[in-house]
């Protein structure tokens, strides 16, 4: 099991920074990859392996997305489902959704994702600066 997953941001894909040793996971930037499955496949694989051994531990996931297309939104929803399932199984999961104060779309999207969670703790937060 790897300790980290680091994927640098591109013009079409977000930066992924998963530090499994400190239980801090983050996705930031824009997400509209040409092939969502190709981009998010390794991300899901790493997340599944990590959550599989999290047990009753705790983790924090920060979403700092500026823009995402509909297929990326589905991928994020799948991620939320995985995090919620881990919380249901006894983990303490804190999800922080950051949005720009001038971006109603990302704020509303965050609210929708938050409403679907039953077990994970969801925090809707304004990006500073």
């Amino acid at each position: 099991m790897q300790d980290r997953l680091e994927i640098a941001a591109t013009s079409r894909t977000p930066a992924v920074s998963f530090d499994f040793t400190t239980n801090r996971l983050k996705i930031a930037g824009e997400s509209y990859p040409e092939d969502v499955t190709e981009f998010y496949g390794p991300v899901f694989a790493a997340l599944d392996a990590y959550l599989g051994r999290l047990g009753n531990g705790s983790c924090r996931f920060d979403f700092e997305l500026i823009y995402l297309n509909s297929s990326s939104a589905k991928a994020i929803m799948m991620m939320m489902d995985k995090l919620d399932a881990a919380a249901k199984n006894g983990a303490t999961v804190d999800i922080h959704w950051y949005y720009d104060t001038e971006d109603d779309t990302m704020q509303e999207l965050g609210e929708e994702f938050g409403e679907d969670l039953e077990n994970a703790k969801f925090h809707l937060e304004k990006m500073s600066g």
Side-chain angles (χ1 to χ4, degrees):
M1 172 70 201
Q2 62 202 41
D3 289 339
R4 306 181 70 85
L5 175 66
E6 296 284 341
I7 302 172
T10 70
S11 59
R12 301 180 68 93
T13 58
V16 176
S17 177
F18 289 178
D19 186 337
F20 301 122
T21 53
T22 61
N23 301 303
R24 293 290 301 258
L25 316 177
K26 180 176 176 179
I27 291 184
E30 299 186 54
S31 182
Y32 52 104
E34 288 178 33
D35 187 336
V36 169
T37 310
E38 184 183 327
F39 179 78
Y40 282 102
V43 176
F44 286 150
L47 186 62
D48 287 341
Y50 166 72
L51 292 176
R53 66 183 173 89
L54 185 60
N56 292 332
S58 62
C59 76
R60 172 178 172 145
F61 202 124
D62 292 340
F63 289 93
E64 295 182 13
L65 295 162
I66 302 162
Y67 171 80
L68 65 161
N69 63 4
S70 57
S71 49
S72 292
K74 288 190 184 103
I76 299 298
M77 178 61 93
M78 286 170 62
M79 246 179 267
M80 295 274 190
D81 289 344
K82 292 172 187 293
L83 293 164
D84 205 38
K88 186 176 184 178
N89 292 331
T92 301
V93 179
D94 279 285
I95 298 171
H96 295 257
W97 182 273
Y98 293 88
Y99 66 94
D100 186 305
T101 51
E102 294 172 14
D103 191 343
D104 295 341
T105 306
M106 291 308 281
Q107 179 181 352
E108 288 163 15
L109 194 59
E111 288 168 357
E112 286 174 30
F113 283 139
E115 286 167 10
D116 289 336
L117 297 170
E118 294 176 15
N119 303 286
K121 297 187 188 94
F122 188 82
H123 311 269
L124 191 65
E125 306 194 25
K126 295 174 183 164
M127 281 187 200
S128 52

